[in-house]
Amino acid sequence: MGLDTKPLSTLHEISSYNVADFPVPTGREEEWRFTPLSRLRGLHDGTAEVTGSVVVEVDAAPEATVETVGREDARIGRAYVPADRVSAQAYSSFEKATVVTVPREAVTSKPIVIGVRGTGGAGAGAAYGHILIDVGPMAEAVVVLDHRGSAVYADNVEFDVAEGATLKVVSLQDWDDDAVHVSHHHARIGKDATFRSFVVTLGGDLVRLSPSVSYTAPGGDADLTGLYFADARQHLEHRLLVDHTVPKCRSNVTYKGALQGDGAHAVWIGDVIIRAEAEGTDTYELNRNLILTDGARADSVPNLEILTGEVAGAGHASASGRIDDEHIFYLQARGIPLDEARRLVVHGFFARLLEKIEVPEIRERVLSAVEAELAR
Amino acid sequence: MPTLEIRDLHVAVGDKEILRGVDLTVGAGETHAIMGPNGSGKSTLAYAVAGHPKYTITSGAVLLDGEDVLEMSVDERARAGLFLAMQYPVEVPGVSVSNFLRSAITSVRGEAPKLRQFAKDLKAGMDALSMDPAFAQRNTNEGFSGGEKKRHEILQLELLKPKIAILDETDSGLDIDALRVVSEGINRFRSGDTGVLLITHYTRILRYVKPDFVHVFAGGRIVEEGGPELAEKLEAEGYESYTKASA
């Protein structure tokens, strides 16, 4: 039996804090087959030297506390166990973790901005990190993860969203052209808690980001939204996993990407599992890719495994295609030049997603970044 | 004086010749109706003149004020003063009517309209066509009914103020109220120093928009020409005699 025919639920059953529990990937495994391993600079096989440099700085809201802690801190790894080798490598290699705590019933008065800056460049060796966002019961917080500069960086980010809490996260991957970033984002969602994730991936030689969600009690609600723009020779990979293990939870995954230039490669994997005990689950996932030029490639694989007969809703959709010539003709027939017409159509493609970014300055930055990509 | 000259135009789609030598001149202040049965090539003429990539010009010429239209890109033709109101206006997801119209006006005039003036013009234009102001914030043609799409085309016509307008079956699919509203828009437009080429299958719209000339299209060319009285003859006799003759 080939890997392709294994049930989704069994693909995700290994998780461990120990790197040695995961064999070195060869590229033939289902979870690695789209990733160009030779561009990971040794993150996956233990050959990367830990000589890189990444600086984490937090501009927190006054209601939140920020700590830098060592590996021994008991809170680390509470919400998430690494699910692949690079994740386990990062978990066993980081020296300092950043812990942001939003206390019970606190409401942050401004976004908590976590700047992650690669300062050593991609040639300087690897760096590892760990971030925990701990949102207490009934609390509400907005967090921005802002990745810039250049590095070879692997990290894990835990979002622990307690009962009745709301966490909105924007993660911006705005790296320099040569950066390599492999990251896991895991949200553990408590009873009646709400999690909103907005991922924007624009820069870097290779970015592989795996957002996952688990629920601890009924009523959890997760929206995972993503926007990416892959240019020539960029590999941007997003691997979503929503594991419905408890009844009456909701999830929605919407990722949209544009690709242009030779060797631009986007990968989207959307795995949703509805376990036998997760009755009353409501889930939908969607991926759309807009291919702007020849030589760009989008892989889009939605997987939905339903192990119960009692679902409230479950569906998925995936489509990749070129700009519709009729759209361009219509706009040009009204005098709008080709470049501007293309800009309008791409803008329109992302419009509804961009409206969902609730931090205005981030929305403006993403908007102008998309404009800059189109002007290339 | 704006003039559209179409000379011995031959147009193919793939290997199939659709237009087989069309000659037509639309002068300023003139309204020409092109009438003909389905499949006679009327829409091909409209799209070929506008520059749709599906249509290949195999020979002939199209001139606007003496300038070679066929050398121009689609957007250059529009900026030179050609307008095509489409039979099936295209839905453009995520691009609001307001944003679309402002981009189009900016391109055609060569400068962005003042925001306040634009809002005023847009509102006046929509009022005149009995359009709900909420349309300005909706995505271009998305979820519009047939009649709403046609009003939106005429709104563009009035805002962009081209020299020559080609209206491709603008009357199709309209109820009588919408037909009247749309016809009034066309009449406002042609009260200027402009030319109109009105393509239609039915004579109904010609009661509201009176043509100066009527051309009957069959088999990819004009087979008969005359004044408004020709439309009345078609109303009475239909296209049968022409389709037989061209077959």
Side-chain angles (χ1 to χ4, degrees):
Chain A
M1 190 164 87
L3 280 167
D4 286 341
T5 56
K6 269 194 185 173
L8 194 57
S9 47
T10 65
L11 286 179
H12 298 285
E13 66 194 8
I14 308 173
S15 46
S16 168
Y17 298 106
N18 187 356
V19 189
D21 288 342
F22 299 95
V24 172
T26 63
R28 287 187 297 274
E29 302 80 3
E30 181 58 33
E31 69 203 284
W32 291 104
R33 67 188 177 104
F34 292 109
T35 312
L37 299 178
S38 61
R39 285 159 66 183
L40 285 176
R41 296 192 183 234
L43 285 174
H44 65 298
D45 60 7
T47 61
E49 289 193 52
V50 195
T51 48
S53 167
V54 167
V55 177
V56 178
E57 285 172 334
V58 185
D59 177 13
E63 300 79 11
T65 58
V66 181
E67 300 160 80
T68 303
V69 303
R71 304 185 45 79
E72 69 292 344
D73 192 286
R75 294 168 293 178
I76 303 296
R78 193 178 60 191
Y80 171 66
V81 186
D84 72 31
R85 183 172 168 104
V86 177
S87 181
Q89 182 74 59
Y91 190 85
S92 50
S93 308
F94 75 88
E95 289 173 3
K96 297 282 180 205
T98 304
V99 177
V100 176
T101 308
V102 183
R104 182 183 186 96
E105 292 179 31
V107 177
T108 55
S109 52
K110 65 166 195 169
I112 299 163
V113 180
I114 303 174
V116 181
R117 296 228 183 330
T119 52
Y128 298 101
H130 196 98
I131 295 172
L132 166 62
I133 312 292
D134 192 354
V135 185
M138 319 305 163
E140 292 177 27
V142 177
V143 170
V144 177
L145 292 165
D146 186 2
H147 302 89
R148 296 200 224 199
S150 183
V152 174
Y153 185 53
D155 69 339
N156 296 298
V157 182
E158 296 178 77
F159 303 108
D160 203 357
V161 192
E163 178 177 344
T166 297
L167 174 61
K168 296 174 182 173
V169 178
V170 180
S171 183
L172 195 51
Q173 287 64 244
D174 199 7
W175 298 103
D176 292 347
D177 288 345
D178 60 346
V180 174
H181 185 202
V182 179
S183 184
H184 270 74
H185 286 186
H186 183 76
R188 183 170 75 164
I189 301 175
K191 182 173 163 45
D192 299 329
T194 301
F195 178 66
R196 300 281 178 263
S197 156
F198 200 109
V199 161
V200 180
T201 305
L202 303 168
D205 173 63
L206 184 155
V207 176
R208 178 180 149 122
L209 177 58
S210 307
S212 57
V213 167
S214 66
Y215 301 88
T216 61
D221 184 342
D223 262 6
L224 306 172
T225 311
L227 181 161
Y228 47 88
F229 204 125
D231 282 313
R233 293 176 302 283
Q234 267 191 313
H235 178 91
L236 305 181
E237 179 166 350
H238 297 91
R239 309 181 66 88
L240 285 295
L241 168 63
V242 181
D243 196 352
H244 284 277
T245 53
V246 297
K248 293 194 169 57
C249 289
R250 182 191 158 276
S251 62
N252 184 286
V253 177
T254 305
Y255 269 62
K256 284 185 162 189
L259 298 87
Q260 66 181 6
D262 214 22
H265 190 195
V267 178
W268 179 86
I269 310 293
D271 289 350
V272 175
I273 308 168
I274 305 174
R275 309 269 176 184
E277 53 278 27
E279 295 183 348
T281 292
D282 186 3
T283 179
Y284 194 80
E285 53 171 348
L286 173 140
N287 177 228
R288 295 243 184 283
N289 292 291
L290 192 57
I291 296 164
L292 301 174
T293 66
D294 289 333
R297 175 187 163 141
D299 288 295
S300 178
V301 187
N303 297 303
L304 175 59
E305 185 176 350
I306 305 174
L307 302 170
T308 172
E310 298 291 323
V311 293
H316 61 74
S318 159
S320 301
R322 295 183 160 275
I323 285 192
D324 190 331
D325 291 340
E326 295 299 328
H327 293 169
I328 298 295
F329 174 73
Y330 189 68
L331 297 172
Q332 278 192 287
R334 299 303 177 245
I336 299 171
L338 178 60
D339 283 355
E340 172 75 1
R342 252 170 50 106
R343 199 187 66 78
L344 278 172
V345 170
V346 175
H347 207 283
F349 176 72
F350 286 133
R352 221 166 281 167
L353 282 197
L354 286 166
E355 288 164 12
K356 287 173 124 186
I357 305 181
E358 295 185 38
V359 186
E361 50 267 43
I362 296 292
R363 190 170 53 233
E364 287 307 311
R365 195 170 135 201
V366 173
L367 202 57
S368 55
V370 169
E371 302 283 335
E373 297 277 358
L374 281 169
R376 281 193 182 197
Chain B
M1 295 297 264
T3 307
L4 178 70
E5 285 178 79
I6 300 168
R7 292 188 198 149
D8 192 30
L9 191 67
H10 291 251
V11 174
V13 175
D15 295 335
K16 192 167 189 276
E17 187 173 52
I18 310 285
L19 296 190
R20 300 186 295 169
V22 176
D23 288 281
L24 183 65
T25 300
V26 180
E30 295 175 0
T31 297
H32 294 246
I34 290 190
M35 304 193 63
N38 290 329
S40 59
K42 307 185 299 284
S43 286
T44 297
L45 177 66
Y47 279 88
V49 171
H52 193 286
K54 189 174 123 190
Y55 302 93
T56 312
I57 314 290
T58 49
S59 67
V62 178
L63 306 171
L64 179 63
D65 298 344
E67 300 280 328
D68 185 353
V69 167
L70 300 181
E71 284 297 307
M72 301 178 193
S73 64
V74 175
D75 50 299
E76 284 169 346
R77 295 177 198 204
R79 293 199 296 276
L82 269 179
F83 181 89
L84 168 63
M86 298 188 199
Q87 184 179 1
Y88 303 109
V90 178
E91 300 183 4
V92 191
V95 180
S96 72
V97 167
S98 160
N99 192 11
F100 161 60
L101 292 176
R102 199 144 45 88
S103 298
I105 290 171
T106 302
S107 301
V108 165
R109 293 188 194 157
E111 59 174 351
K114 296 260 186 302
L115 218 51
R116 192 176 299 174
Q117 188 63 43
F118 170 70
K120 210 174 125 193
D121 292 349
L122 181 57
K123 184 170 184 315
M126 293 177 81
D127 282 350
L129 290 160
S130 307
M131 291 174 78
D132 182 342
F135 269 78
Q137 301 315 318
R138 287 176 59 182
N139 288 338
T140 301
N141 294 322
E142 210 175 54
F144 288 23
S145 71
E148 288 161 349
K149 284 181 179 169
K150 297 300 173 67
R151 288 173 205 234
H152 181 221
E153 293 293 284
I154 300 307
L155 175 66
Q156 295 168 48
L157 172 71
E158 293 197 74
L159 290 172
L160 296 176
K161 303 186 186 356
K163 295 172 180 168
I164 302 284
I166 303 172
L167 310 176
D168 186 17
E169 304 213 11
T170 296
D171 54 328
S172 68
L174 295 183
D175 64 29
I176 193 70
D177 292 333
L179 181 66
R180 198 168 50 236
V181 164
V182 159
S183 298
E184 283 167 8
I186 298 168
N187 286 332
R188 282 192 295 274
F189 167 72
R190 68 186 191 131
S191 65
D193 191 18
T194 52
V196 171
L197 189 57
L198 185 72
I199 295 173
T200 181
H201 185 81
Y202 304 103
T203 52
R204 194 174 63 144
I205 192 173
L206 304 182
R207 286 178 221 136
Y208 299 92
V209 182
K210 293 270 189 285
D212 304 299
F213 305 92
V214 174
H215 312 265
V216 181
F217 228 68
R221 55 159 70 99
I222 292 167
V223 292
E224 189 169 356
E225 298 178 287
E229 73 288 346
L230 184 52
E232 285 154 33
K233 182 187 157 203
L234 288 169
E235 172 95 347
E237 298 172 15
Y239 294 114
E240 203 174 337
S241 60
Y242 300 107
T243 47
K244 274 185 188 151
S246 74

